[in-house]
Structure formats: C-alpha cells, structure tokens
C-alpha cells in the first residue's frame, strides 16, 4: 500500500491558506478520522481486538457507574470484558432502561444528546438516546467506506429515502409525495478537499412513481442509495432497463436484504449492488464485501457482533444477531438482541481478517413459524397476488402456530371464488397446516409503523 492521491479528484481550494497549516481544521479532522477507522478495521487483528476490549471496558464501567439498571445486570465486576458472560438485552428491557433512567450522559460530559427511535418495523417504535459523537462517527464511517473500497468520487449520488420528522411534515403537503434537495457535493465536510459528483436527496412518503421517475431522469443518478422496496417499486413501474437510462453506477441498498429476484433484475443491467447492514440503534453493522456478495465485513470500529441460539431456516441453522455498540454512552447497547437472524464467520472468504456476517435473513418476524419449531422464509410479492385478486394494499400476519390472516385493502367485500383463490395461493406458499383467514377492508390499520411490512409473524 502506498499513500498516493494522484488518482483522486482534488479541489482547487483543497489546501489551507493559514500559516503552518495544510488542510483546514474540519476537513483535516474528518480525513484523520477516516484514516483511524480504516486503520482499525483493516489493520492487525490482535491490536484491533485489544482496542475493542478497552472500549468495551470503558462503556461497561460508564453504564455501571451511571445506571442502577446496568449495575443490577453487570454485578460487582463491571470491568469484566467477558462479553459472553453478560445477559442478553431484549427490546423490552431496553425500553425499561430508557423509560426509567433516560440518557446516561449529563450536560457536564460536554456531549449533546438527542432522542432517537427505530422505525417500528418490528412493532411499535423503540425510543432511546444517542450522543453527538454517534452522529459524527456515522458520517465519518460512511465516508471511510468510499476510500476503503477505492470508489469513484466523481459520480453523482441520489439518495431516495422515507421522509422522517420535519421532512415528513413537508412532504405531507406535496401532492406528488416527495421533496427534492440538491447539494453540489455528497462528501460533506471533506467536500472542500475532494471534488465529487452532486448529491440529490429525495424524501418520500407515498410518492407518485411517474413523477418520481420523471425527477430521476433530470440528472445522472450515479450511486442510487435506497431501500430494496423502493428500488423494486421503481423497477416494477418502469422496468429494470430504466436504471441504465438513468445512469445508475451502483445500487447501494440499506434497510433490508435484497431479495434474489430484485438482485438479478439489477445485476442483469450490469449495475453493481452493494448492501449496507445497519440499524437505527447502533448505526453501521456491516458493509457488503466487494469480492464476496452476501458477506458483510463487520464494522469493528463500531460494534462487536455475536450470534446466539440456533434457528433452522431454509436448511441452514442461523443465530440471532447480538450487538454491542462500543460508543453507546447515552443509552448502552450491550449484547442487544436486534431480532435478526444470520451467521457469523471468523473471517471473510476474500481474505479480510475480521468477523464477517453472512446468510443474513433479516428479522425473525419476517419468517413463518412452524409447529415443529422450524422457520421458513415467507415472501409474497404484490404483483403475484394482483394476478389473482384486486386490492390497493395487503398485509399478511401469522397470528398463531396454525393460522395466517391476510387483509386486502380497498375491498368492501370479496366473492367466495376470490377467497378460495387467495386461500389456495397462501397455502401453496406457507403449507397446508395453516388455516387462512381472508379479510376484506377499505383501509389497513398500520398503526404507528412507518415500514408497512407485507408479512409479519406475531407469535
Ligand atoms: Zn470480504
């Protein structure tokens, strides 16, 4: 390896005019941060693990000092770095800690904190606290990936995401269902050092797909950063060929796993696909390996990942993903059960010497539970269902070990024939052991769940 930036597009204003300085303070700090993170994640494993142990001791000592909840869990030896000996943190326990104790950082710590929440895809949203450092870390870590992968910084980036908070209020007043914001660079605080393509941010709620595609056609898309569901919606509206017309250089997926049909449709257009495995609670967990699709190099500068238990699904025995967030000082996440199923390897087939997540199934609540204790994947696509029955939206729920309920929105009634067809379709996918209830309704009550999951196991 050599440090050589001759291939990088350097801005004319990259360097500082101050005496005895090279870069301005902010870009200098961010670049320094990028080097530190790459050094930890790709450097010597032993040194990295020593650093992780020290960070783990720090966060355990903090939790134990500031929180009765954590003192109870950690016992008299909070400095222990034997992670596997500690109790698993469930979502219910997390809520209890947050509700009774609030943030564990104080104004005197000099770090701002904010309330944050999950999207509620696994039920009601879970609230917790994050610190200023967590937001800064995430920004630097995502930038670091661009350099670690040697990406072309000159392409544009188009980020299409669900509107949240303030942005959701704005979108709600716009009939086409999305807002557009443009910036000259997507490199954030190092945008003054390196030249990059433009950033276009599209925040949506219920977007009119025709208008959305029209907006996307206005500029070269470059990196398309969105969730697989939105990518699938765009493709089912305009065909996968559109991605080439839009000059998509890469599909960067987040939020959920890319199902095989979508993966093929995009790959067939010659467009690379990279997924990021992350969650609201801790930020980035794994970045998909460039050489071995489906393998995620664990973001070891941020989290320690463990697997617990054994769940048979599609012939594989997967474990539940446990996360320990090394910088979780406002709300500690120590052996936190995210609810996802996956496998963990000691290293990646590509040669990367660090823990690697693969066979990522996603939320255990996306799987169908069988009486014999096994799980199976259960994916029903809207298009398939539309071939047999008309509806505006649908939701399937497993309500008990032998019963599945499907709601079809936009329907006052259903004919006996339609009910028969839908029942046969679901049974063919789920198995004959299930009783199927088909319910017509004018609108589905999604509650406060932002992600409208088409299937959820509720037992
Ligand atoms: Zn790899």
């Amino acid at each position: 390896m050599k440090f050589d930036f001759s291939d990088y597009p350097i801005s004319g204003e990259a360097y500082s005019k101050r005496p005895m300085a090279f870069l301005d303070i902010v870009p200098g700090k961010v670049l320094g941060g990028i080097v530190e993170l790459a050094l930890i994640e790709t450097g010597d494993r032993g040194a990295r693990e020593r650093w992780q142990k020290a960070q783990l001791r720090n966060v355990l000592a903090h939790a134990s000092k500031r929180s009765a909840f954590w003192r109870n869990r950690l016992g008299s030896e909070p400095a222990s770095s034997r992670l596997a000996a500690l109790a698993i943190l469930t979502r219910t326990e997390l809520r209890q800690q947050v509700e009774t104790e609030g943030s564990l950082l104080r104004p005197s710590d000099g770090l701002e904190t904010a309330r944050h929440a999950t999207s509620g895809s696994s039920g009601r949203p879970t609230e917790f606290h994050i610190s200023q450092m967590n937001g800064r870390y995430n920004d630097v870590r995502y930038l670091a990936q661009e350099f670690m992968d040697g990406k072309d910084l000159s392409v544009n980036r188009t980020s299409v995401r669900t509107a949240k908070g303030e942005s959701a209020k704005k979108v709600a007043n716009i009939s086409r269902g999305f807002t557009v914001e443009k910036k000259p660079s997507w490199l954030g605080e190092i945008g003054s050092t390196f030249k990059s393509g433009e950033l276009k941010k599209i925040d949506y709620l219920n977007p009119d797909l025709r208008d959305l595609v029209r907006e996307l056609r206005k500029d070269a898309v470059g990196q398309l950063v969105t969730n697989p569901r939105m990518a699938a919606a765009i493709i089912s509206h305009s065909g996968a060929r559109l991605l080439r017309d839009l000059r998509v250089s890469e599909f960067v997926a987040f939020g959920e796993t890319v199902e095989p049909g979508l993966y093929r449709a995009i790959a067939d257009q010659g467009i690379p696909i990279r997924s990021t495995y992350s969650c609201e609670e801790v930020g980035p967990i794994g970045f998909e390996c460039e050489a071995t699709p489906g393998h995620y190099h664990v973001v070891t500068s941020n989290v320690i990942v463990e697997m617990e238990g054994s769940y048979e699904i599609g012939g594989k025995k997967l474990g539940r993903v446990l996360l320990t967030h090394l910088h979780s000082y406002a709300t500690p996440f120590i052996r936190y059960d995210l609810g996802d199923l996956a496998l963990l390897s000691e290293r990646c087939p590509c040669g990367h010497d660090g823990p690697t997540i693969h066979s990522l199934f996603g939320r255990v609540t996306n799987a169908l539970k069988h009486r014999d204790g096994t799980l199976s994947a259960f994916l029903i696509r809207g298009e398939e269902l539309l071939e047999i029955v008309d509806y505006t939206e649908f939701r399937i729920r497993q309500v008990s070990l032998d019963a599945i309920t499907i709601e079809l929105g936009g329907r006052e009634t259903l004919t006996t024939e339609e009910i028969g067809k839908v029942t046969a379709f679901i049974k063919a996918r789920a198995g004959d052991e299930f009783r199927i209830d088909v319910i017509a309704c004018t609108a589905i009550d999604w509650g406060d769940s932002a992600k409208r999951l088409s299937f959820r196991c509720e037992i």
Side-chain angles (χ1 to χ4, degrees):
M1 178 190 70
K2 56 178 182 177
F3 267 53
D4 181 335
F5 286 91
S6 51
D7 283 343
Y8 277 86
I10 308 287
S11 151
E13 299 293 315
Y15 308 129
S16 178
K17 294 186 184 75
R18 292 173 301 122
M20 295 174 277
F22 309 98
L23 287 186
D24 285 328
I25 293 168
V26 171
K29 273 194 176 161
V30 174
L31 262 177
I34 289 172
V35 172
E36 285 180 74
L37 299 185
L39 187 61
I40 284 185
E41 291 189 25
T42 64
D44 178 76
R45 186 170 194 148
R48 178 197 311 145
E49 288 173 353
R50 268 193 295 281
W51 173 84
Q52 284 190 321
K53 272 196 178 137
Q55 294 306 327
L56 177 62
R57 276 194 299 272
N58 290 340
V59 79
L60 289 176
H62 167 83
S64 169
K65 200 165 132 201
R66 298 274 172 97
S67 149
F69 172 92
W70 279 105
R71 264 195 303 283
N72 273 335
R73 293 172 70 86
L74 297 173
S76 56
E77 275 191 79
S80 157
S81 54
R82 277 238 328 121
L83 201 52
L86 304 177
I88 291 168
L89 179 67
T90 64
R91 196 158 278 160
T92 309
E93 290 165 327
L94 170 75
R95 282 203 184 105
Q96 190 194 337
Q97 190 276 318
V98 173
E99 277 163 22
T100 54
E101 302 183 324
S103 166
L104 299 188
L105 283 171
R106 298 168 184 157
S108 59
D109 293 315
L111 271 174
E112 275 176 41
T113 61
R115 291 186 86 88
H116 202 64
T118 62
S119 62
S121 57
S122 324
R124 74 178 159 111
T126 303
E127 283 211 356
F128 51 93
H129 300 267
I130 52 170
S131 83
Q132 198 181 6
M133 182 272 174
N134 300 137
R136 274 207 311 261
Y137 169 87
N138 291 350
D139 290 346
V140 176
R141 182 59 189 82
Y142 281 104
L143 280 175
Q145 194 63 30
E146 303 294 325
F147 290 87
M148 287 160 74
D149 287 341
K151 291 264 185 76
D152 178 3
L153 307 181
S154 69
V155 297
N156 288 345
R157 173 181 288 178
T158 306
S159 156
V160 185
R161 51 179 200 177
T162 312
K164 283 180 195 161
E166 280 305 305
S167 128
K169 281 182 207 154
K170 239 192 258 172
V171 178
N173 295 320
I174 296 173
S175 64
R176 60 181 185 172
F178 61 90
T179 56
V180 182
E181 189 193 341
K182 278 186 175 183
K183 287 189 176 166
S185 166
W186 49 266
L187 288 175
E189 289 172 325
I190 51 168
S192 59
T193 313
F194 299 96
K195 285 189 246 177
S196 81
E198 290 177 351
L199 172 66
K200 186 193 266 187
K201 273 159 80 175
I202 300 178
D203 284 9
Y204 67 85
L205 282 178
N206 271 317
D208 181 315
L209 283 171
R210 210 179 46 176
D211 286 341
L212 181 64
V213 169
R214 203 174 288 159
E215 177 58 47
L216 290 171
R217 282 187 189 280
K218 287 182 187 166
D219 309 278
V221 165
Q223 293 183 356
L224 176 63
V225 185
T226 192
N227 60 69
R229 196 182 305 235
M230 180 38 86
I234 292 171
I235 288 174
S236 79
H237 181 268
S238 306
R241 168 79 224 207
L242 173 80
L243 300 183
R244 271 212 286 196
D245 296 345
L246 295 175
R247 285 181 280 160
V248 174
S249 60
E250 183 182 25
F251 170 43
V252 183
F254 68 89
E256 54 210 73
T257 44
V258 182
E259 53 100 3
L262 179 65
Y263 194 97
R264 270 195 308 277
I266 298 174
D268 282 351
Q269 299 300 317
I271 295 167
I273 300 154
R274 296 291 294 284
S275 297
T276 302
Y277 181 34
S278 65
C279 67
E280 295 292 340
E281 293 93 320
V282 310
I285 304 164
F287 285 94
E288 193 174 13
C289 174
E290 266 191 308
T292 327
H295 285 64
Y296 298 79
H297 298 177
V298 170
V299 183
T300 45
S301 65
N302 193 41
V303 285
I304 296 176
V305 176
E306 300 167 278
M307 295 290 158
E308 193 270 330
S310 177
Y311 299 81
E312 193 178 322
I313 185 158
K316 277 183 182 169
K317 284 198 160 67
L318 307 183
R320 292 177 84 101
V321 175
L322 302 185
L323 299 174
T324 295
H325 185 202
L326 297 169
H327 320 300
S328 55
Y329 283 75
T331 296
F333 289 93
I334 297 159
R335 306 200 85 210
Y336 173 61
D337 182 355
L338 186 59
D340 279 354
L341 297 176
L343 285 174
L344 186 71
S345 295
E346 268 293 288
R347 49 184 53 78
C348 184
C350 77
H352 168 69
D353 190 15
T356 301
I357 295 167
H358 59 101
S359 309
L360 180 59
F361 176 76
R363 291 287 190 270
V364 64
T365 49
N366 293 345
L368 202 60
K369 233 178 234 172
H370 298 271
R371 205 165 264 292
D372 63 4
T374 60
L375 302 171
S376 61
F378 189 66
L379 181 74
I380 302 289
R381 296 216 320 244
E383 303 93 86
E384 301 172 297
L385 197 55
L386 268 179
E387 283 174 16
I388 54 166
V389 64
D390 266 337
Y391 64 87
T392 53
E393 53 180 355
F394 75 99
R395 175 169 63 182
I396 306 175
R397 290 176 299 151
Q398 181 176 9
V399 291
S400 71
L401 273 180
D402 50 16
I404 293 171
T405 296
I406 171 165
E407 294 158 274
L408 295 166
R411 295 296 304 258
E412 299 275 336
T413 56
L414 289 161
T415 65
T416 317
E417 195 197 342
E418 283 175 321
I419 291 174
K421 275 188 184 169
V422 174
T423 303
F425 175 80
I426 302 288
K427 276 193 178 218
R429 292 300 179 85
D432 227 9
E433 68 208 80
F434 294 99
R435 190 186 76 240
I436 316 291
D437 290 313
V438 187
I439 300 168
C441 56
T442 43
I444 292 172
D445 176 13
W446 295 98
D448 50 12
S449 167
K451 274 192 204 164
R452 299 181 162 192
L453 292 183
S454 54
F455 175 71
R456 192 170 138 73
C457 172
E458 294 184 343
I459 49 167

